[in-house]
Amino acid sequence: MVRTCFYDRISEKRIAAEALARQKLQEALDAPPAVIEPEPVAVVSLQPARNELTVAGLHLVMPQGFNFRDIDTTLEKHGHPVTFCAKRRPAPDELTLQRSVELYVENLRKNYPDVTIVRQSDRLLAGSPAIALDYIFTAGQERRHGRATSALINAVDGDERQWFSISTIINPAHAELADWLIEFDAMLDAIAAN
């Protein structure tokens, strides 16, 4: 029995390991790609008769019979104002999501004639198909950046669809607000039923 040199045996092991790694890589490349199923998204229904707000840790429940329609508020981040709005309206059966966005833009143009639509993209809002709209305009002498996300969502009782929109407006010149739109989208992604 002839024994090879110690260094030859190490080299043979290395060469065999490299060949095995190449073979596994080739098998992985030849294999069909794995299909990753997306996590199902829970669709959240609106509960028009249930209206609650938590502000500064205080939970405010609206009296029975009062239905939410508009919330317009100014938040503050690092000393800079951030406009936040939420709106809800009954949506007739013939209203499409795209048409609701067109109506939203028409209303923007009435208030801000110089509005420019920057981007329109599909997304989800409370598990329902939605459209996010980014736009810029001038307020006084300052630029503003707005983002509105709108969806048509069924009410929990199933009687009536609702148009639901959440929007924000910032002054993009403030570096302290650079992450706000990312935080805003994360906030929308976290919407859940109580």
Side-chain angles (χ1 to χ4, degrees), residues 44-48 88 153-162:
V44 180
S45 298
L46 288 179
Q47 300 177 38
R88 178 190 67 85
I153 302 176
N154 290 323
V156 75
D157 56 16
D159 287 343
E160 182 175 69
R161 287 186 323 154
Q162 302 285 309

Side-chain angles (χ1 to χ4, degrees), residues 55 71-77 79-86 167-170 180:
V55 179
I71 295 174
D72 293 302
T73 190
T74 301
L75 307 172
E76 187 176 279
K77 182 173 182 180
H80 301 288
V82 173
T83 301
F84 176 82
C85 301
S167 63
T168 188
I169 297 173
I170 61 169
W180 168 240

Side-chain angles (χ1 to χ4, degrees), residues 63-184:
Q64 200 68 4
F66 285 90
N67 291 325
F68 150 72
R69 187 171 166 88
D70 296 316
I71 295 174
D72 293 302
T73 190
T74 301
L75 307 172
E76 187 176 279
K77 182 173 182 180
H78 303 294
H80 301 288
V82 173
T83 301
F84 176 82
C85 301
K87 299 183 182 307
R88 178 190 67 85
R89 303 284 186 279
D93 290 337
E94 65 274 4
L95 181 68
T96 65
L97 185 55
Q98 185 59 45
R99 180 63 183 144
S100 75
V101 171
E102 290 168 5
L103 293 170
Y104 190 90
V105 171
E106 286 175 20
N107 193 44
L108 277 175
R109 292 193 193 288
K110 287 178 191 172
N111 294 318
Y112 310 106
D114 70 330
V115 73
T116 301
I117 305 304
V118 177
R119 180 180 63 172
Q120 179 177 318
S121 58
D122 295 332
R123 64 163 293 146
L124 293 176
L125 180 62
S128 294
I131 294 179
L133 188 69
D134 280 276
Y135 54 93
I136 54 174
F137 63 95
T138 305
Q141 298 298 316
E142 297 181 341
R143 275 316 246 177
R144 295 287 186 260
H145 184 122
R147 177 170 293 165
T149 300
S150 301
L152 298 174
I153 302 176
N154 290 323
V156 75
D157 56 16
D159 287 343
E160 182 175 69
R161 287 186 323 154
Q162 302 285 309
W163 171 77
F164 187 65
S165 179
I166 298 179
S167 63
T168 188
I169 297 173
I170 61 169
N171 182 338
H174 298 300
E176 295 87 356
L177 299 178
D179 292 337
W180 168 240
L181 295 177
I182 296 168
E183 293 171 9
F184 177 74

